[in-house]
Amino acid sequence: MNRTHNPSAIAPPFNNRYSHAVETVEEARHLFISGQIGVKPDGSIDADVEGQSEQIMENLREILASAGMGFADLVKINAYLLNAEDIPKFAAIRARHLDGGRPAMTTVVVTALAAPQWLIEVEAVAAKRG
């Protein structure tokens, strides 16, 4: 099991949905997941951040499963959004999928992503023993 670090000598995480740091277990396999966008298997993409976020989380679920991992094995998530007002929307969807998991997390508001229809992109790192 990966171990979280939230030292009392520094301010706590902004909210209880992430940890300041996550330590991976000895001899863990690491999975580095490229930036995921909200494109569905048929190539379509929803026009809103909620739909794109849901699809991103499904993409992450499938990638993790292909490596014999799950959301509990995520140790780091980076999210890039076009609009600051969309952060709470993504955070709620992420929290529902992570089901109490608290990986290290960075959220950044950017001026553009690689394609104009993308409103959010998420990359992640997972680690699991064995």
Side-chain angles (χ1 to χ4, degrees), residues 2-101:
N2 298 312
R3 182 175 162 206
T4 61
H5 292 273
N6 295 298
S8 60
I10 65 174
F14 178 68
N15 61 49
N16 65 358
R17 295 181 179 153
Y18 72 95
S19 298
H20 280 307
V22 178
E23 180 180 358
T24 61
V25 296
E26 187 176 338
E27 299 180 17
R29 296 180 301 119
H30 289 83
L31 180 67
F32 296 86
I33 304 171
S34 295
Q36 294 298 301
I37 52 170
V39 175
K40 298 176 183 178
D42 66 4
S44 66
I45 186 166
D46 288 342
D48 60 17
V49 76
E50 293 92 346
Q52 290 186 28
S53 297
E54 285 289 350
Q55 187 59 52
I56 286 169
M57 297 308 292
E58 288 305 317
N59 292 351
L60 290 174
R61 180 187 317 279
E62 291 298 323
I63 292 166
L64 290 162
S66 75
M69 297 180 176
F71 285 126
D73 300 308
L74 286 173
V75 296
K76 176 72 172 141
I77 298 174
N78 293 334
Y80 307 93
L81 293 105
L82 291 184
N83 302 303
E85 60 269 13
D86 289 336
I87 293 171
K89 297 171 190 173
F90 168 66
I93 291 166
R94 182 191 70 229
R96 183 169 37 80
H97 284 271
L98 294 184
D99 192 29

